[in-house]
Amino acid sequence: MDLSLYDTVARKKTPFVPLRPGHAGIYTCGPTVYRYAHIGNLRTYLLTDLLVRALRFEGIAAFAVQNITDMGHMHEEVLDRAEDKVIAAARAAGKTGREIAEFFTEAFFRDCRRMNFLPADVYPRASAHVPEMVAIARELERKGAAYREGDYLYFDVTRAERYGELSGAQLGEGEAAGRTDVSIHRHKRRPEDFTLWLPAEPGREFRWDSPWGQGWPGWHVECAAMAVKYLGDEFDIHVGGIDLRFPHHENSRAMARTATGGRFAALWMHAAHLLVDGRKMSKSMKNEYTLDDLADRGVDPMDFRYYCLTLHYRTPMNFTWEGQAAASRAFTRLKKAFDGAEAGEGTDPEAAADFRRRFRESVEDDLNLPRAVGVVHEAAHAGLPGGTLRELAVEWDAVLGLGIVPAARTEKGETRDEGAGAAAPVPPAVAELVARREAARSARDFTEADALRARIRKAGYEVVDVRGGPPRVKKSR
Ligand code: AMP
Ligand code: ZN
């Protein structure tokens, strides 16, 4: 079997065939950096991480792009003031929009590291790509697919071929008409048309020159422009949360396809939402949990990652503290089982073959990680020789990214150490970093591996790679 993925346009699982053999270009809608990421956002970003890891597992090199929306798109509720999220947050905090965006971009990167996400190859910032957005809007205008009313430039959705194919939205009907921003856009010819360019109100921090006057680009233009710039007119996979399917994805797709004549994304993947105690997360419910909220309750990011892996990405996840506690316990059991795995303790490739096959089949079946995790648990308790178990852990953790690799441990379960700090055991936090570095190395992600080595060094330890065996860890002199 080969990798198959569920495509939102085809509405079924389809075999994944890269446009360029051995390579895959991936675009993921990134954060609007005006607040901390909540665990729902992180669950959606995890889909990209798992996808990239699964592609590598299949021998396909992924090139991943995730944008940073640092100038904010509009709140539905503040449309009348034409205010954006970054500016609103800045105003509330008495800071500039740029300061707010910078702060939360760093917070986002930190969360990504804590979640053990492989870094994207490019994190384009929307504010640095306005000329590209203007170019797309101009091209649409040239093609007669955009029209100007007042200081606004609109996309004429009737000029897009097969508008609605992605989301099922029908022009002039129901959801589409109901959810569009008619309130401030009285000039639009039809409710589904959307802004490519908006005029800047006096004193607006984020504003750029354009053929339509000083202003700023509409949100859907942002992603389209950045995706096309870094991945081309046609690329392999576009990822985002299910809520973005309409209007954001439908519109970016319509616009990019009309402007470039290319297909834009060949396949669309959407992650189902995370709910907390069966409810949508919201400020007023005080249930918009972040990784820090989880840490306050003793939940490590890897515990949360494990919890996510026990549910398929297209299944809505109902986060509860009880569910998290059960997941954390199962994860601890799993790590314990792998703790016994030692290199050099004998191997039994045949005994591992069936587990290997089932793990791979699960991953290839539209990233069925819950099933894959089930196989890992089975293997961990199947009495396999330590050497084999260790090999499996390294191989599988390249996909799971959980840090289950028993790195740098002696037979007694103590941490391997040498030289200056021979008597002192390596702290668990460092052992964890070592394990993650191992996983990164086996995934051939040397940038991540180097970053982890630097973190290990900062903690006062050195890793020494040993050919064919686990790395040695020693205290820096
Ligand atoms: P935002 O910062 O609101 O633009 O959202 C960033 C990403 O998180 C988008 O891909 C959203 O679809 C996704 N997202 C937002 N809320 C949730 C949620 N409750 N569960 C899962 N993903 C979400
Ligand atoms: Zn987007």
Side-chain angles (χ1 to χ4, degrees), residues 29-32 34-35 38-45 73 85 219 239-244 271-275 280-281:
C29 287
T32 305
Y34 68 103
R35 57 162 171 74
H38 57 56
I39 55 177
N41 301 137
L42 295 171
R43 185 194 187 209
T44 291
Y45 304 144
H73 47 82
K85 291 180 180 179
W219 175 34
V239 183
I242 191 74
D243 58 314
L244 299 188
H273 262 199
L274 178 149
L275 301 171
K280 190 173 164 18
M281 278 182 286

PDB file of all heavy atoms in Angstrom, residues 29-32 34-35 38-45 73 85 219 239-244 271-275 280-281, ligand 1:
ATOM      1  N   CYS A  29      -2.038  27.223   6.805  1.00  0.00           N
ATOM      2  CA  CYS A  29      -2.455  28.524   7.322  1.00  0.00           C
ATOM      3  C   CYS A  29      -1.912  28.658   8.739  1.00  0.00           C
ATOM      4  O   CYS A  29      -2.205  27.833   9.600  1.00  0.00           O
ATOM      5  CB  CYS A  29      -3.968  28.633   7.356  1.00  0.00           C
ATOM      6  SG  CYS A  29      -4.658  28.820   5.710  1.00  0.00           S
ATOM      7  N   GLY A  30      -1.142  29.680   8.959  1.00  0.00           N
ATOM      8  CA  GLY A  30      -0.501  29.857  10.254  1.00  0.00           C
ATOM      9  C   GLY A  30      -1.312  30.750  11.175  1.00  0.00           C
ATOM     10  O   GLY A  30      -2.453  31.088  10.882  1.00  0.00           O
ATOM     11  N   PRO A  31      -0.695  31.130  12.284  1.00  0.00           N
ATOM     12  CA  PRO A  31      -1.428  31.891  13.295  1.00  0.00           C
ATOM     13  C   PRO A  31      -1.551  33.372  12.957  1.00  0.00           C
ATOM     14  O   PRO A  31      -0.715  33.927  12.247  1.00  0.00           O
ATOM     15  CB  PRO A  31      -0.534  31.746  14.524  1.00  0.00           C
ATOM     16  CG  PRO A  31       0.849  31.636  13.959  1.00  0.00           C
ATOM     17  CD  PRO A  31       0.714  30.897  12.667  1.00  0.00           C
ATOM     18  N   THR A  32      -2.604  33.983  13.467  1.00  0.00           N
ATOM     19  CA  THR A  32      -2.679  35.436  13.507  1.00  0.00           C
ATOM     20  C   THR A  32      -2.103  35.789  14.873  1.00  0.00           C
ATOM     21  O   THR A  32      -2.645  35.387  15.901  1.00  0.00           O
ATOM     22  CB  THR A  32      -4.135  35.907  13.391  1.00  0.00           C
ATOM     23  OG1 THR A  32      -4.676  35.326  12.209  1.00  0.00           O
ATOM     24  CG2 THR A  32      -4.204  37.418  13.285  1.00  0.00           C
ATOM     25  N   TYR A  34      -1.775  37.656  17.572  1.00  0.00           N
ATOM     26  CA  TYR A  34      -2.226  38.695  18.496  1.00  0.00           C
ATOM     27  C   TYR A  34      -2.566  38.093  19.850  1.00  0.00           C
ATOM     28  O   TYR A  34      -2.991  38.773  20.757  1.00  0.00           O
ATOM     29  CB  TYR A  34      -3.457  39.419  17.932  1.00  0.00           C
ATOM     30  CG  TYR A  34      -4.698  38.555  17.872  1.00  0.00           C
ATOM     31  CD1 TYR A  34      -5.716  38.686  18.818  1.00  0.00           C
ATOM     32  CD2 TYR A  34      -4.822  37.586  16.889  1.00  0.00           C
ATOM     33  CE1 TYR A  34      -6.831  37.870  18.767  1.00  0.00           C
ATOM     34  CE2 TYR A  34      -5.940  36.767  16.842  1.00  0.00           C
ATOM     35  CZ  TYR A  34      -6.936  36.917  17.777  1.00  0.00           C
ATOM     36  OH  TYR A  34      -8.034  36.085  17.739  1.00  0.00           O
ATOM     37  N   ARG A  35      -2.380  36.778  19.998  1.00  0.00           N
ATOM     38  CA  ARG A  35      -2.628  36.093  21.259  1.00  0.00           C
ATOM     39  C   ARG A  35      -1.872  34.771  21.247  1.00  0.00           C
ATOM     40  O   ARG A  35      -1.353  34.354  20.221  1.00  0.00           O
ATOM     41  CB  ARG A  35      -4.122  35.815  21.441  1.00  0.00           C
ATOM     42  CG  ARG A  35      -4.706  34.992  20.294  1.00  0.00           C
ATOM     43  CD  ARG A  35      -6.027  34.359  20.701  1.00  0.00           C
ATOM     44  NE  ARG A  35      -6.731  33.747  19.602  1.00  0.00           N
ATOM     45  CZ  ARG A  35      -6.412  32.598  19.012  1.00  0.00           C
ATOM     46  NH1 ARG A  35      -5.334  31.921  19.389  1.00  0.00           N
ATOM     47  NH2 ARG A  35      -7.128  32.106  18.021  1.00  0.00           N
ATOM     48  N   HIS A  38      -4.000  28.494  21.289  1.00  0.00           N
ATOM     49  CA  HIS A  38      -4.680  27.581  22.215  1.00  0.00           C
ATOM     50  C   HIS A  38      -4.497  26.150  21.710  1.00  0.00           C
ATOM     51  O   HIS A  38      -3.985  25.919  20.608  1.00  0.00           O
ATOM     52  CB  HIS A  38      -6.143  27.981  22.434  1.00  0.00           C
ATOM     53  CG  HIS A  38      -6.987  28.074  21.192  1.00  0.00           C
ATOM     54  ND1 HIS A  38      -7.144  27.025  20.312  1.00  0.00           N
ATOM     55  CD2 HIS A  38      -7.738  29.096  20.697  1.00  0.00           C
ATOM     56  CE1 HIS A  38      -7.959  27.386  19.338  1.00  0.00           C
ATOM     57  NE2 HIS A  38      -8.324  28.651  19.531  1.00  0.00           N
ATOM     58  N   ILE A  39      -4.929  25.202  22.541  1.00  0.00           N
ATOM     59  CA  ILE A  39      -4.644  23.802  22.205  1.00  0.00           C
ATOM     60  C   ILE A  39      -5.375  23.349  20.936  1.00  0.00           C
ATOM     61  O   ILE A  39      -4.943  22.400  20.287  1.00  0.00           O
ATOM     62  CB  ILE A  39      -4.947  22.855  23.404  1.00  0.00           C
ATOM     63  CG1 ILE A  39      -6.392  23.030  23.891  1.00  0.00           C
ATOM     64  CG2 ILE A  39      -3.959  23.105  24.533  1.00  0.00           C
ATOM     65  CD1 ILE A  39      -6.769  22.064  25.018  1.00  0.00           C
ATOM     66  N   GLY A  40      -6.450  24.050  20.566  1.00  0.00           N
ATOM     67  CA  GLY A  40      -7.140  23.730  19.303  1.00  0.00           C
ATOM     68  C   GLY A  40      -6.258  24.094  18.119  1.00  0.00           C
ATOM     69  O   GLY A  40      -6.063  23.304  17.193  1.00  0.00           O
ATOM     70  N   ASN A  41      -5.684  25.308  18.160  1.00  0.00           N
ATOM     71  CA  ASN A  41      -4.752  25.721  17.098  1.00  0.00           C
ATOM     72  C   ASN A  41      -3.630  24.684  16.991  1.00  0.00           C
ATOM     73  O   ASN A  41      -3.267  24.262  15.899  1.00  0.00           O
ATOM     74  CB  ASN A  41      -4.102  27.071  17.417  1.00  0.00           C
ATOM     75  CG  ASN A  41      -5.100  28.198  17.605  1.00  0.00           C
ATOM     76  OD1 ASN A  41      -4.955  29.005  18.518  1.00  0.00           O
ATOM     77  ND2 ASN A  41      -6.115  28.259  16.753  1.00  0.00           N
ATOM     78  N   LEU A  42      -3.103  24.291  18.157  1.00  0.00           N
ATOM     79  CA  LEU A  42      -1.954  23.385  18.146  1.00  0.00           C
ATOM     80  C   LEU A  42      -2.321  22.023  17.585  1.00  0.00           C
ATOM     81  O   LEU A  42      -1.536  21.391  16.891  1.00  0.00           O
ATOM     82  CB  LEU A  42      -1.355  23.271  19.557  1.00  0.00           C
ATOM     83  CG  LEU A  42      -0.763  24.586  20.065  1.00  0.00           C
ATOM     84  CD1 LEU A  42      -0.380  24.482  21.540  1.00  0.00           C
ATOM     85  CD2 LEU A  42       0.463  24.995  19.241  1.00  0.00           C
ATOM     86  N   ARG A  43      -3.552  21.601  17.851  1.00  0.00           N
ATOM     87  CA  ARG A  43      -3.977  20.316  17.271  1.00  0.00           C
ATOM     88  C   ARG A  43      -3.977  20.413  15.746  1.00  0.00           C
ATOM     89  O   ARG A  43      -3.576  19.477  15.052  1.00  0.00           O
ATOM     90  CB  ARG A  43      -5.376  19.944  17.764  1.00  0.00           C
ATOM     91  CG  ARG A  43      -5.750  18.565  17.244  1.00  0.00           C
ATOM     92  CD  ARG A  43      -7.212  18.220  17.365  1.00  0.00           C
ATOM     93  NE  ARG A  43      -7.413  16.832  16.996  1.00  0.00           N
ATOM     94  CZ  ARG A  43      -8.532  16.348  16.477  1.00  0.00           C
ATOM     95  NH1 ARG A  43      -9.574  17.125  16.303  1.00  0.00           N
ATOM     96  NH2 ARG A  43      -8.625  15.090  16.151  1.00  0.00           N
ATOM     97  N   THR A  44      -4.422  21.541  15.229  1.00  0.00           N
ATOM     98  CA  THR A  44      -4.437  21.712  13.773  1.00  0.00           C
ATOM     99  C   THR A  44      -3.015  21.782  13.209  1.00  0.00           C
ATOM    100  O   THR A  44      -2.716  21.162  12.195  1.00  0.00           O
ATOM    101  CB  THR A  44      -5.268  22.950  13.396  1.00  0.00           C
ATOM    102  OG1 THR A  44      -6.637  22.662  13.693  1.00  0.00           O
ATOM    103  CG2 THR A  44      -5.153  23.286  11.928  1.00  0.00           C
ATOM    104  N   TYR A  45      -2.123  22.516  13.895  1.00  0.00           N
ATOM    105  CA  TYR A  45      -0.737  22.581  13.404  1.00  0.00           C
ATOM    106  C   TYR A  45      -0.057  21.209  13.485  1.00  0.00           C
ATOM    107  O   TYR A  45       0.829  20.894  12.700  1.00  0.00           O
ATOM    108  CB  TYR A  45       0.092  23.615  14.191  1.00  0.00           C
ATOM    109  CG  TYR A  45      -0.514  24.997  14.182  1.00  0.00           C
ATOM    110  CD1 TYR A  45      -0.428  25.827  15.294  1.00  0.00           C
ATOM    111  CD2 TYR A  45      -1.194  25.474  13.060  1.00  0.00           C
ATOM    112  CE1 TYR A  45      -0.990  27.092  15.302  1.00  0.00           C
ATOM    113  CE2 TYR A  45      -1.766  26.740  13.069  1.00  0.00           C
ATOM    114  CZ  TYR A  45      -1.662  27.537  14.182  1.00  0.00           C
ATOM    115  OH  TYR A  45      -2.233  28.786  14.179  1.00  0.00           O
ATOM    116  N   HIS A  73      -6.291  39.799  10.350  1.00  0.00           N
ATOM    117  CA  HIS A  73      -7.471  39.935   9.507  1.00  0.00           C
ATOM    118  C   HIS A  73      -8.598  40.340  10.439  1.00  0.00           C
ATOM    119  O   HIS A  73      -8.477  40.284  11.655  1.00  0.00           O
ATOM    120  CB  HIS A  73      -7.771  38.653   8.745  1.00  0.00           C
ATOM    121  CG  HIS A  73      -7.738  37.429   9.578  1.00  0.00           C
ATOM    122  ND1 HIS A  73      -8.786  37.036  10.349  1.00  0.00           N
ATOM    123  CD2 HIS A  73      -6.742  36.549   9.801  1.00  0.00           C
ATOM    124  CE1 HIS A  73      -8.451  35.934  10.990  1.00  0.00           C
ATOM    125  NE2 HIS A  73      -7.223  35.624  10.689  1.00  0.00           N
ATOM    126  N   LYS A  85      -7.197  42.189  14.082  1.00  0.00           N
ATOM    127  CA  LYS A  85      -6.956  41.573  15.383  1.00  0.00           C
ATOM    128  C   LYS A  85      -5.655  42.050  16.024  1.00  0.00           C
ATOM    129  O   LYS A  85      -5.588  42.241  17.229  1.00  0.00           O
ATOM    130  CB  LYS A  85      -6.910  40.057  15.215  1.00  0.00           C
ATOM    131  CG  LYS A  85      -8.256  39.448  14.876  1.00  0.00           C
ATOM    132  CD  LYS A  85      -8.133  37.949  14.729  1.00  0.00           C
ATOM    133  CE  LYS A  85      -9.479  37.335  14.392  1.00  0.00           C
ATOM    134  NZ  LYS A  85      -9.400  35.882  14.228  1.00  0.00           N
ATOM    135  N   TRP A 219      -7.638  39.430   3.739  1.00  0.00           N
ATOM    136  CA  TRP A 219      -6.994  38.256   4.333  1.00  0.00           C
ATOM    137  C   TRP A 219      -6.754  37.138   3.324  1.00  0.00           C
ATOM    138  O   TRP A 219      -5.688  36.521   3.295  1.00  0.00           O
ATOM    139  CB  TRP A 219      -7.872  37.766   5.485  1.00  0.00           C
ATOM    140  CG  TRP A 219      -7.437  36.504   6.146  1.00  0.00           C
ATOM    141  CD1 TRP A 219      -6.154  36.072   6.347  1.00  0.00           C
ATOM    142  CD2 TRP A 219      -8.287  35.504   6.709  1.00  0.00           C
ATOM    143  NE1 TRP A 219      -6.154  34.872   7.011  1.00  0.00           N
ATOM    144  CE2 TRP A 219      -7.447  34.500   7.240  1.00  0.00           C
ATOM    145  CE3 TRP A 219      -9.666  35.364   6.838  1.00  0.00           C
ATOM    146  CZ2 TRP A 219      -7.965  33.368   7.875  1.00  0.00           C
ATOM    147  CZ3 TRP A 219     -10.168  34.244   7.477  1.00  0.00           C
ATOM    148  CH2 TRP A 219      -9.334  33.264   7.989  1.00  0.00           C
ATOM    149  N   VAL A 239      -3.061  22.734   3.990  1.00  0.00           N
ATOM    150  CA  VAL A 239      -3.583  22.257   5.274  1.00  0.00           C
ATOM    151  C   VAL A 239      -4.177  23.406   6.079  1.00  0.00           C
ATOM    152  O   VAL A 239      -3.665  24.526   6.050  1.00  0.00           O
ATOM    153  CB  VAL A 239      -2.454  21.620   6.136  1.00  0.00           C
ATOM    154  CG1 VAL A 239      -3.004  21.057   7.437  1.00  0.00           C
ATOM    155  CG2 VAL A 239      -1.717  20.539   5.359  1.00  0.00           C
ATOM    156  N   GLY A 240      -5.236  23.126   6.812  1.00  0.00           N
ATOM    157  CA  GLY A 240      -5.793  24.125   7.732  1.00  0.00           C
ATOM    158  C   GLY A 240      -6.903  23.512   8.565  1.00  0.00           C
ATOM    159  O   GLY A 240      -7.284  22.350   8.359  1.00  0.00           O
ATOM    160  N   GLY A 241      -7.425  24.288   9.489  1.00  0.00           N
ATOM    161  CA  GLY A 241      -8.548  23.820  10.304  1.00  0.00           C
ATOM    162  C   GLY A 241      -9.829  23.858   9.478  1.00  0.00           C
ATOM    163  O   GLY A 241      -9.936  24.634   8.524  1.00  0.00           O
ATOM    164  N   ILE A 242     -10.778  23.037   9.864  1.00  0.00           N
ATOM    165  CA  ILE A 242     -12.009  22.875   9.094  1.00  0.00           C
ATOM    166  C   ILE A 242     -12.790  24.186   8.964  1.00  0.00           C
ATOM    167  O   ILE A 242     -13.453  24.423   7.952  1.00  0.00           O
ATOM    168  CB  ILE A 242     -12.887  21.749   9.718  1.00  0.00           C
ATOM    169  CG1 ILE A 242     -14.041  21.358   8.801  1.00  0.00           C
ATOM    170  CG2 ILE A 242     -13.396  22.109  11.096  1.00  0.00           C
ATOM    171  CD1 ILE A 242     -13.620  20.538   7.608  1.00  0.00           C
ATOM    172  N   ASP A 243     -12.679  25.049   9.985  1.00  0.00           N
ATOM    173  CA  ASP A 243     -13.427  26.320   9.930  1.00  0.00           C
ATOM    174  C   ASP A 243     -12.940  27.212   8.787  1.00  0.00           C
ATOM    175  O   ASP A 243     -13.663  28.109   8.354  1.00  0.00           O
ATOM    176  CB  ASP A 243     -13.274  27.076  11.268  1.00  0.00           C
ATOM    177  CG  ASP A 243     -11.822  27.351  11.607  1.00  0.00           C
ATOM    178  OD1 ASP A 243     -11.001  26.415  11.471  1.00  0.00           O
ATOM    179  OD2 ASP A 243     -11.488  28.483  11.991  1.00  0.00           O
ATOM    180  N   LEU A 244     -11.727  26.972   8.326  1.00  0.00           N
ATOM    181  CA  LEU A 244     -11.173  27.845   7.277  1.00  0.00           C
ATOM    182  C   LEU A 244     -11.594  27.433   5.870  1.00  0.00           C
ATOM    183  O   LEU A 244     -11.356  28.156   4.904  1.00  0.00           O
ATOM    184  CB  LEU A 244      -9.643  27.871   7.342  1.00  0.00           C
ATOM    185  CG  LEU A 244      -9.034  28.393   8.634  1.00  0.00           C
ATOM    186  CD1 LEU A 244      -7.532  28.546   8.487  1.00  0.00           C
ATOM    187  CD2 LEU A 244      -9.634  29.744   9.023  1.00  0.00           C
ATOM    188  N   ALA A 271      -8.312  19.747   9.317  1.00  0.00           N
ATOM    189  CA  ALA A 271      -8.334  19.126  10.644  1.00  0.00           C
ATOM    190  C   ALA A 271      -9.641  19.485  11.343  1.00  0.00           C
ATOM    191  O   ALA A 271     -10.061  20.646  11.296  1.00  0.00           O
ATOM    192  CB  ALA A 271      -7.161  19.647  11.472  1.00  0.00           C
ATOM    193  N   ALA A 272     -10.247  18.488  11.967  1.00  0.00           N
ATOM    194  CA  ALA A 272     -11.476  18.755  12.724  1.00  0.00           C
ATOM    195  C   ALA A 272     -11.129  19.550  13.979  1.00  0.00           C
ATOM    196  O   ALA A 272      -9.981  19.556  14.435  1.00  0.00           O
ATOM    197  CB  ALA A 272     -12.139  17.443  13.107  1.00  0.00           C
ATOM    198  N   HIS A 273     -12.117  20.205  14.540  1.00  0.00           N
ATOM    199  CA  HIS A 273     -11.867  21.071  15.687  1.00  0.00           C
ATOM    200  C   HIS A 273     -11.705  20.336  17.003  1.00  0.00           C
ATOM    201  O   HIS A 273     -12.143  19.201  17.157  1.00  0.00           O
ATOM    202  CB  HIS A 273     -13.001  22.089  15.810  1.00  0.00           C
ATOM    203  CG  HIS A 273     -12.613  23.392  15.190  1.00  0.00           C
ATOM    204  ND1 HIS A 273     -13.233  24.573  15.469  1.00  0.00           N
ATOM    205  CD2 HIS A 273     -11.634  23.699  14.298  1.00  0.00           C
ATOM    206  CE1 HIS A 273     -12.662  25.534  14.776  1.00  0.00           C
ATOM    207  NE2 HIS A 273     -11.701  25.035  14.056  1.00  0.00           N
ATOM    208  N   LEU A 274     -11.082  21.057  17.918  1.00  0.00           N
ATOM    209  CA  LEU A 274     -10.980  20.577  19.286  1.00  0.00           C
ATOM    210  C   LEU A 274     -12.019  21.327  20.115  1.00  0.00           C
ATOM    211  O   LEU A 274     -12.151  22.551  20.004  1.00  0.00           O
ATOM    212  CB  LEU A 274      -9.572  20.862  19.817  1.00  0.00           C
ATOM    213  CG  LEU A 274      -9.245  20.477  21.243  1.00  0.00           C
ATOM    214  CD1 LEU A 274      -7.765  20.103  21.344  1.00  0.00           C
ATOM    215  CD2 LEU A 274      -9.536  21.595  22.228  1.00  0.00           C
ATOM    216  N   LEU A 275     -12.766  20.584  20.909  1.00  0.00           N
ATOM    217  CA  LEU A 275     -13.727  21.189  21.826  1.00  0.00           C
ATOM    218  C   LEU A 275     -13.232  20.926  23.237  1.00  0.00           C
ATOM    219  O   LEU A 275     -12.461  19.996  23.453  1.00  0.00           O
ATOM    220  CB  LEU A 275     -15.100  20.538  21.668  1.00  0.00           C
ATOM    221  CG  LEU A 275     -15.744  20.607  20.276  1.00  0.00           C
ATOM    222  CD1 LEU A 275     -16.985  19.727  20.228  1.00  0.00           C
ATOM    223  CD2 LEU A 275     -16.098  22.060  19.940  1.00  0.00           C
ATOM    224  N   LYS A 280     -17.340  24.713  22.413  1.00  0.00           N
ATOM    225  CA  LYS A 280     -16.393  25.503  21.651  1.00  0.00           C
ATOM    226  C   LYS A 280     -15.567  26.322  22.656  1.00  0.00           C
ATOM    227  O   LYS A 280     -16.124  26.826  23.639  1.00  0.00           O
ATOM    228  CB  LYS A 280     -17.207  26.448  20.752  1.00  0.00           C
ATOM    229  CG  LYS A 280     -16.428  27.199  19.717  1.00  0.00           C
ATOM    230  CD  LYS A 280     -17.465  27.920  18.830  1.00  0.00           C
ATOM    231  CE  LYS A 280     -16.985  28.998  17.973  1.00  0.00           C
ATOM    232  NZ  LYS A 280     -15.755  29.318  17.536  1.00  0.00           N
ATOM    233  N   MET A 281     -14.282  26.430  22.400  1.00  0.00           N
ATOM    234  CA  MET A 281     -13.470  27.245  23.304  1.00  0.00           C
ATOM    235  C   MET A 281     -13.795  28.716  23.124  1.00  0.00           C
ATOM    236  O   MET A 281     -14.021  29.162  22.000  1.00  0.00           O
ATOM    237  CB  MET A 281     -11.987  27.059  22.981  1.00  0.00           C
ATOM    238  CG  MET A 281     -11.399  25.839  23.599  1.00  0.00           C
ATOM    239  SD  MET A 281      -9.648  25.743  23.212  1.00  0.00           S
ATOM    240  CE  MET A 281      -9.738  25.271  21.535  1.00  0.00           C
TER     241      MET A 281
HETATM  242  P1  AMP B   1      -6.479  31.420  13.935  1.00  0.00           P
HETATM  243  O1  AMP B   1      -5.265  31.843  14.714  1.00  0.00           O
HETATM  244  O2  AMP B   1      -7.771  31.645  14.635  1.00  0.00           O
HETATM  245  O3  AMP B   1      -6.476  31.974  12.527  1.00  0.00           O
HETATM  246  O4  AMP B   1      -6.405  29.842  13.781  1.00  0.00           O
HETATM  247  C1  AMP B   1      -5.223  29.178  13.417  1.00  0.00           C
HETATM  248  C2  AMP B   1      -5.516  27.749  13.025  1.00  0.00           C
HETATM  249  O5  AMP B   1      -6.140  27.032  14.087  1.00  0.00           O
HETATM  250  C3  AMP B   1      -6.484  27.635  11.844  1.00  0.00           C
HETATM  251  O6  AMP B   1      -6.040  26.584  10.974  1.00  0.00           O
HETATM  252  C4  AMP B   1      -7.794  27.266  12.487  1.00  0.00           C
HETATM  253  O7  AMP B   1      -8.601  26.528  11.614  1.00  0.00           O
HETATM  254  C5  AMP B   1      -7.335  26.431  13.645  1.00  0.00           C
HETATM  255  N1  AMP B   1      -8.295  26.399  14.758  1.00  0.00           N
HETATM  256  C6  AMP B   1      -8.945  27.448  15.314  1.00  0.00           C
HETATM  257  N2  AMP B   1      -9.746  27.029  16.328  1.00  0.00           N
HETATM  258  C7  AMP B   1      -9.572  25.688  16.435  1.00  0.00           C
HETATM  259  C8  AMP B   1     -10.108  24.656  17.286  1.00  0.00           C
HETATM  260  N3  AMP B   1     -10.966  24.921  18.250  1.00  0.00           N
HETATM  261  N4  AMP B   1      -9.690  23.386  17.082  1.00  0.00           N
HETATM  262  C9  AMP B   1      -8.809  23.099  16.105  1.00  0.00           C
HETATM  263  N5  AMP B   1      -8.272  24.010  15.276  1.00  0.00           N
HETATM  264  C10 AMP B   1      -8.639  25.295  15.427  1.00  0.00           C
END
